Structure formats: structure tokens, C-alpha cells
Amino acid sequence: HIGHVKSICLNFGIAKKFGGNCNLRFDDTNPESEKQVFIDSIQEDVRWLGFEWDGAERYASDYFGQLYEWAEAFIERGLAYVDELSAEEISEYRGSVTRPGKDSPFRDRPEEESLQIFRKMRAGEMAQGSAVLRAKIDMSHPNVIM
């Protein structure tokens, strides 16, 4: 995929230009479904492009604990909330290049309520996809991609 090649060259190239190191991190958000053949293939491709990463490869799942702590901190500081809109409703609320987005009705729920639901999500007590953690961004911003 050309986008992956561009990213690899950019990241490893910047590290080389400035005398730094570049890590190879796999975004294994569902580690049970990841296959070693894909990891091996990516490593082979990075080497074929002429790059070598610093140390052992890394995995997003290695940091799940830290990411979870940050998520709770964002909720506690009022920077994120648990949203229970459906995927279709989230798309509708997101807006478009011609129509500003709008805030979810769950955006202003109390932080403690979002924390309780978020902890239920982690414990597997919520139906898959019934709730998501969202950052409190400006929904009327003209750049709906961000």
C-alpha cells in the first residue's frame, strides 16, 4: 500500500536526518486476531526499503494499561465522554464539508457517569459497539476530518 510506504519512508527518513531512532510499532488493537505472517511481511518490507528499526518491535497492546489510564484522566478532566449513539447516529452528528456537526446528547453527561460506563466497557459488561469513548472536540469546526 503506497500510503504505508510513504509513512515508513517519512518516519525512518526523519529519524535518520536528525540522528534519531525509529521504532517499529504494530497497531494490534485486537492482539488475538493478529497473524505473525503479517508482522513478518511488514518487517521484510521495511528492510527491503532500506530501513532498520531501533530495538525490538513494539505493539500497541503493550501500552493498553497506560492508554486506559490516560482515557480515564481525559474523562476526569472533562476532555472526553462515553457516547452511546449508534454508529449511524455518530456519522450523522459528525457533519460534512457542507454541514457543521452537532454535539452528542451524551457529551455533557457528568464525568462520574462516563467513568462508570467506561469501566463497564472495560469489564465487558456493555454490548460490543454500544458505547465509545469520544474526545470533546469542536463539532462545528469546518475540518470534519479532524
Side-chain angles (χ1 to χ4, degrees), residues 40-130:
D40 295 343
S41 176
I42 292 169
Q43 290 173 330
E44 182 181 325
D45 291 347
V46 169
R47 287 187 179 111
W48 183 84
L49 288 167
F51 301 111
E52 190 62 43
W53 53 94
D54 185 49
E57 68 271 4
R58 293 162 171 83
Y59 300 88
S61 60
D62 295 338
Y63 307 99
F64 280 175
Q66 179 64 66
L67 295 171
Y68 183 84
E69 288 177 24
W70 286 337
E72 281 206 356
F74 271 48
I75 295 169
E76 289 167 351
R77 292 172 53 200
L79 301 173
Y81 65 100
V82 174
D83 198 340
E84 294 181 79
L85 290 176
S86 69
E88 294 79 21
E89 290 169 321
I90 288 174
S91 289
E92 177 187 322
Y93 276 67
R94 183 174 291 129
S96 70
V97 292
T98 60
R99 178 180 47 81
K102 58 185 179 179
D103 290 346
S104 165
F106 298 101
R107 180 186 177 102
D108 293 321
R109 72 179 355 149
E111 285 84 5
E112 189 55 42
E113 185 179 343
S114 274
L115 273 173
Q116 289 173 354
I117 297 168
F118 191 59
R119 289 171 180 155
K120 286 181 180 181
M121 291 166 65
R122 184 179 194 196
E125 298 171 9
M126 301 285 291
Q128 182 74 23
S130 66

Side-chain angles (χ1 to χ4, degrees), residues 2-69:
I2 194 69
H4 294 146
V5 171
K6 179 180 175 184
S7 177
I8 290 166
C9 291
L10 177 68
N11 286 292
F12 281 92
I14 289 173
K16 182 177 181 179
K17 179 177 180 176
F18 293 101
N21 298 315
C22 192
N23 298 320
L24 183 62
R25 184 185 64 83
F26 294 95
D27 192 12
D28 62 335
T29 52
N30 185 2
E32 289 80 30
S33 70
E34 299 299 323
K35 298 201 178 357
Q36 187 63 42
V37 67
F38 298 126
I39 293 169
D40 295 343
S41 176
I42 292 169
Q43 290 173 330
E44 182 181 325
D45 291 347
V46 169
R47 287 187 179 111
W48 183 84
L49 288 167
F51 301 111
E52 190 62 43
W53 53 94
D54 185 49
E57 68 271 4
R58 293 162 171 83
Y59 300 88
S61 60
D62 295 338
Y63 307 99
F64 280 175
Q66 179 64 66
L67 295 171
Y68 183 84
E69 288 177 24

